[in-house]
Amino acid sequence: MKKMKFLLSSLTIAALCTTAMPSHAKDKKLAVVSSFSIIGDLAKAVGGDRIELRTLVGPNSDAHVYEPRPADALALARADVILVNGLLFEGFMDRLIEASESKAPITVLTDGAEILNDPKGGHYHYVDGKAIFHATPNDPHAWQSVGNAKVYVGNIAKAFCAADKDGCPIYEKNAAAYDEKLTGLAAEIKTAIDALPKERRVAVVAHNAFRYFERDYGVTFLAPQGVSTESEASAADVASLIREIREKKAAAVFSENISDARLVKQIASEAGLELGGALYSDALSPPEGPAASYLDMMRYNVKTLVEAIDRD
Ligand SMILES: [Zn+2]
Ligand SMILES: [Zn+2]
C-alpha cells in the first residue's frame, strides 16, 4: 500500500480525474478493465470491436502476487466498466480502484455462479519455496467450471449493456454465440474424462485451484497443504501428502503455469510418479502458447490430464 501511495501521488490522481471521461460517449469505444487474463478473454468474446480492453494481470501471471503499476490506476480512472472475479481472488484490486478514484461500476463475475464453499477456509500457494495461506471461505477458482463461465459471460453482457445501450444487441448476440461454444466445450470435457478409468481419475497439483473441475467433471485433485520446500515441518507434511497419493492411487502429478515446479517435482519423485506436464490454473498462456483463450485453456488442461492419466 505504501508503494501504491508513492506511485499514485494525489497530484497524478487529480490530473487523471479531470481528463477522464465520466461515462461512455457515442464516438468512443467502451473502456473496459478486467482484472486478469481469463476474464479478459471472456470480455473480448462479448465485447468484440466495441470495447477497448485493458487486462491488468497478464498471461502466466499470478494475481496473488501482482504489484499494480501507475498505468493500471490510470486505466481504472478512465474505465466505463470494471470486471473482477471476486471471492477474494484479486487481493490488490479494491485498494487500486480506491486509489484510482474510478467512478465506473464494478461487476463481480461470480455473482450468481454456483460457488463452492472451502471447508478449509482457503488454500495454500507456494511463493519462493514458502507456503502462504490464502484465506478464501468461498473457493474463488469458479472459472474452472464451464457452467460458471457461462454465468461470467452473462454478467459481462449485462454490464456492457448497462454502460452502452446502443451496443446491447451486439453484446447479447456475441454472448449467445459464445455460450453455445461453452456448451460444446462442456460436452467435450465430459466425454474425454468419462472415457478414463474411474480409479485413475486422481491427480496431484501444486495448489487447490481445480475443485470446480473436480465437482463438475469427476477428477479428484490432491494438493499439498502448507508444505514448504524450506520449512522444518516440510518433511512431515510431504509425508502425509505422499500417504494420501498412495491411498487414493493418484495417477500423475502436474505443475502449474503460474507457479514454479520445484515443490511438485519433489512430490512426484517421492511418490514415484511422473510429472504430467503443466496445467493452466489461474492465468492463460501468452498468445503463442497452447492456452491463449479460455476455450483453449480448458481443452489443453483436459488433453494434458488425459495423456498423463492414460499413459500406462
Ligand atoms: Zn489463492
Ligand atoms: Zn489460485
Side-chain angles (χ1 to χ4, degrees):
M1 190 58 205
K2 262 181 197 154
K3 195 169 189 179
M4 278 310 300
K5 272 196 178 142
F6 172 73
L7 293 171
L8 307 166
S9 72
S10 51
L11 208 79
T12 322
I13 296 291
L16 287 176
C17 290
T18 49
T19 52
M21 299 281 286
S23 64
H24 181 57
K26 262 198 170 155
D27 56 338
K28 87 183 222 309
K29 292 190 176 190
L30 188 70
V32 178
V33 175
S34 74
S35 58
F36 77 112
S37 56
I38 293 170
I39 64 180
D41 179 61
L42 301 178
K44 219 186 301 166
V46 178
D49 291 343
R50 273 191 85 87
I51 64 165
E52 193 182 295
L53 175 69
R54 187 186 163 88
T55 294
L56 303 184
V57 186
N60 285 344
S61 299
D62 185 349
H64 301 87
V65 293
Y66 183 68
E67 293 205 10
R69 292 164 298 180
D72 297 340
L74 199 141
L76 286 166
R78 290 179 174 165
D80 300 310
V81 177
I82 300 171
L83 305 174
V84 301
N85 183 75
L87 305 180
L88 304 174
F89 180 68
E90 305 100 332
F92 66 95
M93 204 64 185
D94 286 351
R95 282 177 300 184
L96 183 63
I97 292 170
E98 203 185 306
S100 78
E101 296 185 12
S102 175
K103 301 284 180 287
I106 301 160
T107 302
V108 178
L109 299 186
T110 46
D111 279 356
E114 285 185 29
I115 297 309
L116 278 172
N117 185 260
D118 193 332
K120 293 183 175 123
H123 53 269
Y124 285 92
H125 287 265
Y126 302 90
V127 181
D128 299 329
K130 289 192 188 70
I132 293 165
F133 188 66
H134 182 195
T136 53
N138 293 305
D139 189 336
H141 305 93
W143 60 85
Q144 293 289 349
S145 149
V146 176
N148 282 342
K150 284 174 170 244
V151 176
Y152 283 35
V153 166
N155 286 337
I156 292 169
K158 262 187 249 159
F160 288 0
C161 281
D164 171 20
K165 290 202 172 44
D166 292 347
C168 190
I170 298 170
Y171 302 134
E172 284 179 342
K173 191 170 157 250
N174 290 348
Y178 193 76
D179 190 85
E180 261 180 55
K181 290 186 187 171
L182 291 175
T183 302
L185 173 68
E188 262 178 59
I189 297 175
K190 199 175 172 328
T191 306
I193 302 299
D194 285 354
L196 294 170
K198 264 209 174 104
E199 68 282 4
R200 290 192 54 82
R201 291 182 213 162
V202 183
V204 185
V205 286
H207 96 292
N208 221 346
F210 295 94
R211 293 176 68 238
Y212 289 91
F213 192 99
E214 174 169 325
R215 179 193 69 186
D216 287 10
Y217 312 113
V219 175
T220 300
F221 288 92
L222 309 177
Q225 301 294 323
V227 179
S228 163
T229 48
E230 284 180 356
S231 90
E232 295 292 321
S234 131
D237 290 337
V238 172
S240 98
L241 177 64
I242 303 295
R243 256 198 314 279
E244 203 185 358
I245 288 171
R246 296 208 170 115
E247 267 166 31
K248 298 191 174 152
K249 298 194 171 62
V253 181
F254 298 89
S255 59
E256 275 173 61
N257 66 319
I258 58 153
S259 50
D260 85 67
R262 275 178 301 169
L263 178 65
V264 286
K265 275 186 184 152
Q266 185 193 340
I267 292 163
S269 93
E270 290 192 31
L273 288 168
E274 271 182 66
L275 260 192
L279 299 177
Y280 286 80
S281 52
D282 295 16
L284 299 176
S285 73
E288 64 279 11
S293 68
Y294 177 76
L295 295 168
D296 284 348
M297 175 187 86
M298 296 302 284
R299 287 200 180 101
Y300 184 81
N301 283 349
V302 169
K303 181 171 159 271
T304 305
L305 280 166
V306 168
E307 279 175 5
I309 289 176
D310 240 359
R311 198 177 280 161
D312 21 297

